């Protein structure tokens, strides 16, 4: 049986009480699935709500709680790795598209953040992706391969089981561009190859998560074929109830 990873990313529109309520709902409605054997459930929470969410959900058997961002040095509205440890977060994601393309975070900055968080014993995921312009002008594969090569250039060997790659095509959320299935599959192949080249000595294949929207039928087929290992979807694109229905339909 293939272990499937389901990641639910709470956007800023959600209040802290709403986030807590929906996480409990996700856990209750999927508790019939064995964790680490059938599924893994991850939730990604804005920094402003993270401490309250971690306090409200101390039992992490059914869910792992991640920060959407962090800062190595104290910055307003950001949590440091030390603070993440203090409040009991399980993970911290690196390289989200808004940080790369809107805040100007470089591949090297993402690499340094990923190295820091993994060396502290956290789980993490490296998020990679392209803009609509890159997809249209044919530079997406090269750009993403560089994001991976740089991002994974300092991964400690002992962290191989605490890391995954998320592919999030930015155009899938901003509109104005629609890629066909062949393009998406080619990007998955690019990512798998780039990860293998970046981490040639790792003992296990790193899980790949897709951040673009898929139908339940297409998602099931991608899981079954081993094309992807998990999904990473935003609360503004799919409700908690819809997300639960996807999990319960696919298993």
């Amino acid at each position: 049986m293939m272990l499937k990873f389901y990641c639910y990313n709470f956007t800023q529109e959600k209040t802290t009480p709403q986030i807590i309520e929906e996480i409990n709902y996700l856990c209750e409605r999927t508790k019939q699935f064995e964790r680490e054997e059938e599924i893994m459930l991850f939730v990604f929470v804005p920094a402003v709500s993270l401490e309250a969410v971690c306090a409200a959900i101390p039992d992490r058997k059914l869910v792992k709680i991640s920060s959407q961002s962090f800062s190595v040095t104290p910055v307003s509205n950001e949590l440091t790795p030390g603070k993440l440890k203090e409040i009991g977060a399980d993970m911290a994601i690196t390289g989200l598209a808004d940080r790369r393309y809107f805040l100007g975070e470089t591949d090297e900055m993402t690499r340094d953040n990923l190295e820091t968080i993994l060396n502290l014993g956290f789980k993490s995921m490296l998020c990679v992706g392209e803009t609509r312009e890159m997809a249209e002008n044919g530079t997406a594969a090269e750009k993403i391969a560089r994001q991976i090569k740089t991002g994974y250039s300092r991964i400690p060997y002992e962290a191989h089981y605490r890391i995954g790659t998320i592919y999030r095509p930015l155009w899938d959320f901003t509109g104005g561009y629609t890629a066909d299935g062949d393009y998406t599959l080619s990007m998955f192949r690019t990512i798998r190859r780039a990860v293998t080249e970046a981490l040639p000595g790792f003992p296990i294949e790193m899980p790949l998560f897709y951040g673009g929207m898929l139908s339940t039928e297409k998602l099931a087929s991608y899981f079954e074929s081993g094309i992807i290992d998990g999904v990473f979807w935003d609360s503004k694109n799919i409700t908690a109830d819809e997300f639960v229905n996807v999990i319960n339909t696919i298993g």
Side-chain angles (χ1 to χ4, degrees), residues 222-250:
Y222 278 9
F223 273 137
E224 185 67 26
S225 303
I227 294 172
I228 61 174
D229 305 285
V231 292
F232 182 97
W233 288 345
D234 289 342
S235 61
K236 68 179 178 181
N237 299 114
I238 184 170
T239 68
D241 192 54
E242 290 169 335
F243 194 67
V244 161
N245 288 337
V246 169
I247 296 173
N248 285 328
T249 298
I250 297 176

Side-chain angles (χ1 to χ4, degrees), residues 24-249:
N24 284 323
Y25 176 78
L26 292 170
C27 291
E28 178 64 25
R29 289 288 307 281
T30 62
K31 65 182 180 181
Q32 71 273 23
F33 294 108
E34 281 294 325
R35 289 344 192 233
E36 299 188 18
E37 294 182 14
E38 296 178 299
I39 76 166
M40 289 293 293
L41 178 62
F42 299 89
V43 293
F44 296 77
V45 178
V48 67
S49 299
L50 190 65
E51 184 168 6
V53 170
C54 287
I57 306 173
D59 187 352
R60 307 295 167 74
K61 293 186 180 69
L62 296 178
V63 65
K64 302 300 180 187
I65 298 174
S66 174
S67 175
Q68 293 173 347
S69 63
F70 66 94
S71 176
V72 175
T73 56
V75 177
S76 179
N77 298 321
E78 291 277 12
L79 301 175
T80 64
K83 184 64 174 180
L84 294 178
K85 224 178 226 310
E86 177 187 323
I87 67 177
D90 300 296
M91 299 176 55
I93 195 172
T94 53
L96 275 175
D98 57 349
R99 301 187 70 82
R100 289 186 184 276
Y101 297 116
F102 304 143
L103 298 181
E105 187 172 283
T106 66
D107 294 339
E108 289 74 20
M109 292 166 67
T110 299
R111 173 201 63 201
D112 294 346
N113 286 342
L114 185 59
E115 179 186 26
T116 297
I117 208 73
L118 289 174
N119 278 330
L120 288 172
F122 285 94
K123 296 179 176 65
S124 191
M125 296 178 187
L126 174 65
C127 191
V128 301
E130 78 277 33
T131 64
R132 183 187 69 188
E133 290 74 21
M134 294 171 192
E136 291 176 331
N137 65 26
T139 62
E142 178 184 354
K143 178 65 175 177
I144 288 176
R146 184 184 186 281
Q147 290 173 0
I148 291 170
K149 180 180 180 181
T150 304
Y152 285 150
S153 60
R154 295 181 183 168
I155 300 302
Y157 178 84
E158 63 274 11
H160 64 265
Y161 64 94
R162 292 188 275 115
I163 186 69
T165 307
I166 300 171
Y167 169 46
R168 278 172 64 84
L170 188 60
W171 45 263
D172 203 35
F173 303 96
T174 56
Y177 182 87
T178 301
D180 60 26
D182 289 341
Y183 173 90
T184 302
L185 291 174
S186 73
M187 295 309 297
F188 291 148
R189 289 192 292 270
T190 293
I191 292 166
R192 295 278 193 190
R193 182 169 59 251
V195 171
T196 299
E197 292 173 356
L199 303 169
F202 268 40
I204 60 174
E205 186 174 12
M206 188 177 295
L208 173 60
F209 307 83
Y210 185 44
M213 296 303 296
L214 295 169
S215 68
T216 302
E217 294 75 21
K218 179 64 73 172
L219 177 59
S221 70
Y222 278 9
F223 273 137
E224 185 67 26
S225 303
I227 294 172
I228 61 174
D229 305 285
V231 292
F232 182 97
W233 288 345
D234 289 342
S235 61
K236 68 179 178 181
N237 299 114
I238 184 170
T239 68
D241 192 54
E242 290 169 335
F243 194 67
V244 161
N245 288 337
V246 169
I247 296 173
N248 285 328
T249 298

